[in-house]
Amino acid sequence: MNQIQHDPGQAEEIGKMLEPLIRRVIREELTRIAKAEPGIFYLDSDTPIYKDMEDIMQRKTQGNTKLHSHEEVWGE
């Protein structure tokens, strides 16, 4: 009978290789869903993320937003 030996270092290396790919796929799928179903996301007005989004919108209107690079956001 064949026995498979697991190398923890190899598993960690595979994880490091897969993470960027998984992030990209998730990002692309979320973008696709958001474009195909623009009304799919709903935030209650009493949630912290809603308040954060309001703050961001106000700062954008006032021209006080700082955009981060793709690399800063996604680590790619």
Side-chain angles (χ1 to χ4, degrees), residues 4 8 18 21-23 30 36 38-39 41 49 56 58 63:
I4 299 173
L18 287 176
L21 175 63
I22 293 167
R23 286 180 181 273
L30 287 175
F41 296 104
I49 192 167
I56 291 168
Q58 288 174 356

Side-chain angles (χ1 to χ4, degrees), residues 20-68:
L21 175 63
I22 293 167
R23 286 180 181 273
R24 190 179 85 218
V25 169
I26 290 171
R27 183 174 61 248
E28 288 172 358
E29 284 301 301
L30 287 175
T31 300
R32 184 187 63 76
I33 291 168
K35 286 179 180 177
E37 300 288 337
I40 199 167
F41 296 104
Y42 175 79
L43 298 173
D44 285 323
S45 60
D46 61 343
T47 60
I49 192 167
Y50 184 93
K51 291 175 178 35
D52 289 342
M53 298 301 285
E54 274 189 325
D55 178 53
I56 291 168
M57 181 61 77
Q58 288 174 356
R59 285 188 281 140
K60 179 182 175 191
T61 303
Q62 297 168 353
N64 294 330
T65 55
K66 178 188 180 285
L67 300 178
H68 297 277

Side-chain angles (χ1 to χ4, degrees), residues 4-22:
I4 299 173
Q5 294 183 2
H6 296 283
D7 177 3
Q10 185 180 16
E12 186 175 324
E13 189 65 30
I14 291 170
K16 286 179 183 178
M17 291 175 9
L18 287 176
E19 185 177 356
L21 175 63
I22 293 167

